[in-house]
Amino acid sequence: MSTVKAVHRRFLSKRWSDRKVAFLLVAPPVLFLLAFTLYPIIRIFWMSMHDISITEPWLGQPFTGFENYTRAFRDGRFWHSLGFTLSFSTVTVVFELVIGLYLASIANRTFRFRGFVRAAILFPWALPTITNALTWRWMFNQDYGLINGLLLMLGFIKEPLNWLGDSTLNYIAICIVAIWKTSSFMAIILLAGLQSIPGNLYEAARIDGAGRVQMLFRITLPLLRNVILVSLILRTLAAMQAFDLMYGLTQGGPGNDTESLPMYIYATTFVDMQWGYGSALGVLLFIVLLLISLIYIKWLYDGDR
């Protein structure tokens, strides 16, 4: 009996030792998360409940409650920037998914120089966004841009288009640049999912007489469902926070036509120096991103049941 108790004590002490080791391993990232993620969220929410103006520090930081939020709901510029951000995110993510899936299917085939092709697909994503934006800004220039030159040479237009000065054309230009850059990111994620699909499924489908479209909708897309949803979450959240692309390409113009919500938050906080109102706009953006994430997660969870 004493031997059994001794073994039991040793087992409990070993479990306690494992718990201490696990706690020591988990503690640093948890502390890092609390310091650099949770605290800023709490801090920005506190700032959103106060009237903080750097240009008038003598007024102090009076508590205003939800006044900044009600101001945002009455702010036409906020609704315009939110609408532009949602529209931009929807259009670009849909096209990125379609183009990315096509590029991934090409890169998944066996052919000569496949490694070079895969590296080339990733090249647009590897370039810094601000570098892409400035390069494309030159290409979309009305007077000496490459885009107008090609369209004139091919006969699609009779006079140069003002890509960055027209309300419709600048939206199209921004979407083109975003799709060109981030379709490669989508392709790499989807390529990893395609490589996990057994090849014998496609062989069996071919033997049964299935065509490419049938294999796409009966094999590829169902088995890629979780990968597609994860990539959609990542890309949607990134598109909703887009700042450098618009800033480098159009700077939000003409007027505020291409101003994203992060750009408006930046202008309010660091140009107008209204930190309280800018913080409220940041909290609203956080809520929108949280709702989008919950929708995707629910969609993913419902599909796994």
Side-chain angles (χ1 to χ4, degrees):
M1 192 67 178
S2 59
T3 305
V4 174
K5 291 183 178 178
V7 172
H8 183 64
R9 289 197 203 96
R10 186 178 303 176
F11 176 74
L12 292 177
S13 63
K14 185 178 183 303
R15 286 187 59 186
W16 176 245
S17 177
D18 292 341
R19 289 178 181 176
K20 289 193 292 185
V21 172
F23 176 78
L24 292 176
L25 293 175
V26 172
V30 170
L31 293 176
F32 181 87
L33 184 66
L34 292 175
F36 294 98
T37 302
L38 183 60
Y39 172 75
I41 293 175
I42 297 174
R43 177 64 178 175
I44 196 173
F45 182 75
W46 180 89
M47 293 174 63
S48 71
M49 307 287 284
H50 294 75
D51 185 11
I52 305 174
S53 177
I54 303 301
T55 58
E56 299 175 337
W58 56 86
L59 298 178
Q61 300 178 359
F63 177 78
T64 59
F66 292 97
E67 182 178 336
N68 286 324
Y69 296 95
T70 58
R71 175 185 171 185
F73 295 142
R74 300 190 305 267
D75 188 353
R77 188 175 173 184
F78 163 73
W79 289 110
H80 180 272
S81 60
L82 176 60
F84 170 80
T85 304
L86 291 172
S87 174
F88 164 80
S89 302
T90 303
V91 171
T92 55
V93 169
V94 170
F95 278 94
E96 288 164 10
L97 175 62
V98 176
I99 297 175
L101 183 59
Y102 176 72
L103 294 175
S105 63
I106 294 177
N108 193 42
R109 299 172 185 172
T110 302
F111 55 90
R112 195 176 182 184
F113 303 118
R114 184 174 64 173
F116 175 78
V117 171
R118 290 181 176 180
I121 290 176
L122 191 59
F123 178 74
W125 174 255
L127 290 176
T129 303
I130 191 64
T131 303
N132 276 326
L134 294 176
T135 302
W136 280 90
R137 184 176 181 177
W138 173 83
M139 294 172 63
F140 280 117
N141 187 275
Q142 181 179 3
D143 299 321
Y144 51 81
L146 177 63
I147 304 298
N148 278 335
L150 290 175
L151 293 177
L152 287 169
M153 183 179 64
L154 296 174
F156 290 113
I157 58 175
K158 295 182 178 180
E159 59 182 16
L161 299 176
N162 187 10
W163 285 97
L164 303 180
D166 182 80
S167 299
T168 302
L169 292 177
N170 59 13
Y171 176 80
I172 295 175
I174 289 176
C175 290
I176 288 174
V177 178
I179 293 168
W180 176 82
K181 175 177 172 56
T182 50
S183 293
S184 57
F185 172 76
M186 192 77 78
I188 295 301
I189 296 179
L190 296 176
L191 175 60
L194 286 175
Q195 291 180 333
S196 65
I197 300 177
N200 55 7
L201 294 178
Y202 294 101
E203 293 295 333
R206 291 191 189 95
I207 294 173
D208 292 337
R212 291 186 177 182
V213 176
Q214 290 176 312
M215 287 189 288
L216 174 64
F217 287 97
R218 297 295 181 88
I219 299 176
T220 305
L221 293 181
L223 294 179
L224 281 181
R225 184 181 184 278
N226 291 347
V227 177
I228 289 175
L229 287 177
V230 171
S231 62
L232 286 177
I233 292 174
L234 296 176
R235 277 304 309 137
T236 303
L237 296 183
M240 288 291 297
Q241 300 176 73
F243 173 88
D244 43 3
L245 175 60
M246 291 79 171
Y247 187 82
L249 194 60
T250 65
Q251 295 184 344
N256 297 318
D257 287 345
T258 58
E259 182 181 59
S260 64
L261 185 53
M263 287 187 67
Y264 184 35
I265 295 173
Y266 169 81
T268 302
T269 307
F270 298 105
V271 177
D272 299 336
M273 293 298 178
Q274 300 179 18
W275 284 26
Y277 185 49
S279 299
L281 295 176
V283 172
L284 291 175
L285 176 60
F286 170 77
I287 294 174
V288 172
L289 295 177
L290 180 62
L291 291 175
I292 293 174
S293 301
L294 292 176
I295 292 172
Y296 275 127
I297 292 172
K298 186 178 185 304
W299 190 11
L300 180 64
Y301 175 74
D302 291 342
D304 290 337
R305 286 191 300 182

